[in-house]
PDB file of all heavy atoms in Angstrom:
ATOM      1  N   HIS A  45      15.963  -5.146  -2.137  1.00  0.00           N
ATOM      2  CA  HIS A  45      16.533  -6.427  -1.603  1.00  0.00           C
ATOM      3  C   HIS A  45      15.484  -7.475  -1.918  1.00  0.00           C
ATOM      4  O   HIS A  45      14.492  -7.646  -1.176  1.00  0.00           O
ATOM      5  CB  HIS A  45      16.750  -6.282  -0.094  1.00  0.00           C
ATOM      6  CG  HIS A  45      17.244  -7.510   0.577  1.00  0.00           C
ATOM      7  ND1 HIS A  45      18.521  -8.030   0.348  1.00  0.00           N
ATOM      8  CD2 HIS A  45      16.634  -8.389   1.396  1.00  0.00           C
ATOM      9  CE1 HIS A  45      18.656  -9.150   1.041  1.00  0.00           C
ATOM     10  NE2 HIS A  45      17.545  -9.402   1.683  1.00  0.00           N
ATOM     11  N   ALA A  46      15.676  -8.125  -3.038  1.00  0.00           N
ATOM     12  CA  ALA A  46      14.629  -9.087  -3.510  1.00  0.00           C
ATOM     13  C   ALA A  46      15.295 -10.446  -3.908  1.00  0.00           C
ATOM     14  O   ALA A  46      15.080 -10.952  -5.018  1.00  0.00           O
ATOM     15  CB  ALA A  46      13.849  -8.527  -4.650  1.00  0.00           C
ATOM     16  N   PRO A  47      16.084 -11.067  -3.001  1.00  0.00           N
ATOM     17  CA  PRO A  47      16.784 -12.295  -3.380  1.00  0.00           C
ATOM     18  C   PRO A  47      15.808 -13.477  -3.504  1.00  0.00           C
ATOM     19  O   PRO A  47      16.175 -14.482  -4.104  1.00  0.00           O
ATOM     20  CB  PRO A  47      17.761 -12.522  -2.227  1.00  0.00           C
ATOM     21  CG  PRO A  47      17.130 -11.834  -1.059  1.00  0.00           C
ATOM     22  CD  PRO A  47      16.408 -10.644  -1.599  1.00  0.00           C
ATOM     23  N   TYR A  48      14.624 -13.407  -2.941  1.00  0.00           N
ATOM     24  CA  TYR A  48      13.697 -14.551  -2.918  1.00  0.00           C
ATOM     25  C   TYR A  48      12.775 -14.545  -4.107  1.00  0.00           C
ATOM     26  O   TYR A  48      12.589 -15.562  -4.750  1.00  0.00           O
ATOM     27  CB  TYR A  48      12.936 -14.583  -1.606  1.00  0.00           C
ATOM     28  CG  TYR A  48      13.945 -14.559  -0.439  1.00  0.00           C
ATOM     29  CD1 TYR A  48      14.133 -13.422   0.345  1.00  0.00           C
ATOM     30  CD2 TYR A  48      14.816 -15.623  -0.234  1.00  0.00           C
ATOM     31  CE1 TYR A  48      15.067 -13.322   1.278  1.00  0.00           C
ATOM     32  CE2 TYR A  48      15.805 -15.556   0.734  1.00  0.00           C
ATOM     33  CZ  TYR A  48      15.982 -14.424   1.521  1.00  0.00           C
ATOM     34  OH  TYR A  48      16.917 -14.337   2.480  1.00  0.00           O
ATOM     35  N   SER A  49      12.218 -13.363  -4.435  1.00  0.00           N
ATOM     36  CA  SER A  49      11.338 -13.274  -5.605  1.00  0.00           C
ATOM     37  C   SER A  49      12.113 -12.927  -6.861  1.00  0.00           C
ATOM     38  O   SER A  49      11.681 -13.238  -7.972  1.00  0.00           O
ATOM     39  CB  SER A  49      10.249 -12.267  -5.396  1.00  0.00           C
ATOM     40  OG  SER A  49      10.835 -10.938  -5.460  1.00  0.00           O
ATOM     41  N   GLY A  50      13.260 -12.291  -6.691  1.00  0.00           N
ATOM     42  CA  GLY A  50      13.998 -11.793  -7.845  1.00  0.00           C
ATOM     43  C   GLY A  50      13.264 -10.661  -8.545  1.00  0.00           C
ATOM     44  O   GLY A  50      13.643 -10.229  -9.644  1.00  0.00           O
ATOM     45  N   PHE A  51      12.234 -10.088  -7.869  1.00  0.00           N
ATOM     46  CA  PHE A  51      11.411  -9.031  -8.494  1.00  0.00           C
ATOM     47  C   PHE A  51      11.640  -7.727  -7.752  1.00  0.00           C
ATOM     48  O   PHE A  51      11.123  -7.522  -6.666  1.00  0.00           O
ATOM     49  CB  PHE A  51       9.943  -9.496  -8.395  1.00  0.00           C
ATOM     50  CG  PHE A  51       8.987  -8.627  -9.143  1.00  0.00           C
ATOM     51  CD1 PHE A  51       8.992  -8.568 -10.558  1.00  0.00           C
ATOM     52  CD2 PHE A  51       8.006  -7.902  -8.486  1.00  0.00           C
ATOM     53  CE1 PHE A  51       8.114  -7.765 -11.239  1.00  0.00           C
ATOM     54  CE2 PHE A  51       7.078  -7.119  -9.142  1.00  0.00           C
ATOM     55  CZ  PHE A  51       7.145  -7.087 -10.545  1.00  0.00           C
ATOM     56  N   LYS A  52      12.444  -6.850  -8.358  1.00  0.00           N
ATOM     57  CA  LYS A  52      12.722  -5.565  -7.738  1.00  0.00           C
ATOM     58  C   LYS A  52      11.677  -4.549  -8.132  1.00  0.00           C
ATOM     59  O   LYS A  52      11.327  -4.407  -9.286  1.00  0.00           O
ATOM     60  CB  LYS A  52      14.110  -5.087  -8.195  1.00  0.00           C
ATOM     61  CG  LYS A  52      15.261  -5.903  -7.719  1.00  0.00           C
ATOM     62  CD  LYS A  52      16.568  -5.296  -8.144  1.00  0.00           C
ATOM     63  CE  LYS A  52      17.733  -5.974  -7.377  1.00  0.00           C
ATOM     64  NZ  LYS A  52      18.991  -5.195  -7.537  1.00  0.00           N
ATOM     65  N   VAL A  53      11.225  -3.770  -7.103  1.00  0.00           N
ATOM     66  CA  VAL A  53      10.213  -2.756  -7.321  1.00  0.00           C
ATOM     67  C   VAL A  53      10.716  -1.463  -6.724  1.00  0.00           C
ATOM     68  O   VAL A  53      11.374  -1.424  -5.646  1.00  0.00           O
ATOM     69  CB  VAL A  53       8.846  -3.124  -6.638  1.00  0.00           C
ATOM     70  CG1 VAL A  53       7.806  -2.108  -6.959  1.00  0.00           C
ATOM     71  CG2 VAL A  53       8.448  -4.535  -7.065  1.00  0.00           C
ATOM     72  N   GLY A  54      10.465  -0.353  -7.423  1.00  0.00           N
ATOM     73  CA  GLY A  54      10.814   0.996  -6.940  1.00  0.00           C
ATOM     74  C   GLY A  54       9.545   1.841  -6.880  1.00  0.00           C
ATOM     75  O   GLY A  54       8.691   1.749  -7.731  1.00  0.00           O
ATOM     76  N   ALA A  55       9.465   2.683  -5.866  1.00  0.00           N
ATOM     77  CA  ALA A  55       8.331   3.582  -5.729  1.00  0.00           C
ATOM     78  C   ALA A  55       8.820   4.980  -5.390  1.00  0.00           C
ATOM     79  O   ALA A  55       9.786   5.151  -4.652  1.00  0.00           O
ATOM     80  CB  ALA A  55       7.351   3.093  -4.645  1.00  0.00           C
ATOM     81  N   ALA A  56       8.158   5.994  -5.927  1.00  0.00           N
ATOM     82  CA  ALA A  56       8.458   7.386  -5.628  1.00  0.00           C
ATOM     83  C   ALA A  56       7.151   8.136  -5.376  1.00  0.00           C
ATOM     84  O   ALA A  56       6.172   7.895  -6.127  1.00  0.00           O
ATOM     85  CB  ALA A  56       9.224   8.043  -6.767  1.00  0.00           C
TER      86      ALA A  56
END
Side-chain angles (χ1 to χ4, degrees):
H45 177 70
Y48 307 107
S49 71
F51 188 67
K52 293 184 166 194
V53 184

